[in-house]
Amino acid sequence: MNSVSSSSQLKIHLPHFSGPHSRNVSDTRKLQLPFSSSSFPTLYFSRSLGFPFRSDFNFPHWSSTRFVISKCVNGKSSDSLESGSGLNDATGPSQVPKQKDISIVKILKEANSLLPHVVLASTLLALVYPPSFTWFTTRYYAPALGFLMFAVGVNSRENDFLEAFKRPAALFAGYVGQFVVKPLLGYFFGIISVTLFGLPTSIGAGIMLVSCVSGAQLSNYATFLTDPQMAPLSIIMTSLSTATAVFVTPVLSLLLIGKRLPVDAKGMVFSITQIVVAPIAAGLLLNRFFPKICNAIRPFLPPLSVLVTALCVGAPLAINIKSVLSPFGATILLLIVAFHLSAFIAGYVFTGLVFHKAPDVKELQRTLSYETGMQSSLLALALANRFFQDPLVSVPPAVSTVIMSLMGFSLVMIWAKRKE
């Protein structure tokens, strides 16, 4: 090779070189390449960049070998090489850095970030001007909840949750929090509402009904905002409680409320199947067999989900505004706040005691706190409107929809700030 200045010296690393000349070649050597430093701009190098050499360099048996080239230059030649340091595994000058995606699709996908603000705004609007939500009557609750469940199915894939299934103890703890700890708290506050505060039996039944339903999808989003790596685990917890709610919720309702008000357990099973199981299954099947359709509709699901959630939060409050603002409305509000606060604390403390040796115990505590404290109050509201003749049964679920959302996202802001 012809000799050139030191500014065009390169180190060539041969990590996997093998061939007839391997005995004469060391792992790292300096070569004087037959081109001047002025030709550097025509090549696109970066530190530790791996790419196949061109065969016209006339290196025998090396044309298929993958090289890692690092610069060993001085002077102005370094500037030429630095200009290519941002490329990702480039194989030629045709590849350029990706431009930042600021498309409307990205904006639609990030609409969920507005959810906490939308929940608060819809609550205030329902209190100030109820007619803005009263048109969204009870007959729309089941389809709205079914749409949210369908969105969950479309955005779920079995492969995303394989790792989470490797933590059966955590999944079991979340299930216990949903269907053991929370129903006990609901029964306690339901009894207190009737015996201590003298509220109608239907109010106590409404509180118990809230405690018997499955976890809320909002708990998954709250977990994602606080601890993104725990989101799959949270989704599986909610999915398990949702799937088994077909049988568990009617049984718990019969045990806790059946002696006080009649409960149509068979009707609840059929209704939950329609509202929860069928939409999730449809979303999963669509995602599995028609991915192109899912990719086309997926960007529009977040803003629609935010809109539907806002309606589902504001409408129950607006429709039951007279009951909420009645003389016992403040008492119901106090009981619902105490119920959810106790559930959040119980989930956090219970997890800390059971998993105190886990390396990610704090993340688990926050995840199970959301899972225990946030439940599908909309499902409880739909069941109350469908299976209980007394309209007062729907008041606690209506209040719970708002309080659960506000308390959950308040914890998101508190815990996220502490992590920073």
Side-chain angles (χ1 to χ4, degrees), residues 178 182 214-216 218-219 222 340 343-344 369-376 404-405 408-409:
Q178 273 291 338
K182 186 162 57 66
S214 57
L218 288 180
S219 66
H340 283 291
F344 279 116
S369 178
Y370 290 134
E371 195 67 22
T372 307
M374 303 177 75
Q375 54 277 330
S376 185
M404 175 264 297
S405 303
F409 288 113

Side-chain angles (χ1 to χ4, degrees), residues 268-342:
M268 281 189 176
V269 170
F270 181 73
S271 182
I272 294 173
T273 302
Q274 285 184 315
I275 296 174
V276 178
V277 179
I280 289 181
L284 287 172
L285 291 174
L286 190 67
N287 194 20
R288 178 67 177 84
F289 296 104
F290 302 97
K292 292 184 178 180
I293 297 178
C294 285
N295 291 335
I297 66 175
R298 192 174 284 118
F300 300 97
L301 293 180
L304 290 175
S305 298
V306 171
L307 176 61
V308 170
T309 302
L311 292 173
C312 291
V313 169
L317 188 61
I319 293 174
N320 296 279
I321 191 68
K322 291 183 179 179
S323 299
V324 173
L325 298 179
S326 64
F328 56 84
T331 305
I332 296 176
L333 180 63
L334 176 62
L335 288 169
I336 294 297
V337 169
F339 164 70
H340 283 291
L341 181 61
S342 300

Side-chain angles (χ1 to χ4, degrees), residues 37-38 40-41 43 45 75-85:
S37 60
S38 61
F40 274 53
L43 299 175
F45 297 139
K76 296 182 180 180
S77 300
S78 61
D79 297 332
S80 301
L81 291 176
E82 283 292 344
S83 62
S85 61

Side-chain angles (χ1 to χ4, degrees), residues 114-124 218 309-310 313 401-402 405-406 409:
L114 300 175
L115 191 56
H117 310 286
V118 171
V119 168
L120 179 59
S122 60
T123 301
L124 296 176
L218 288 180
T309 302
V313 169
T401 303
V402 178
S405 303
L406 293 178
F409 288 113

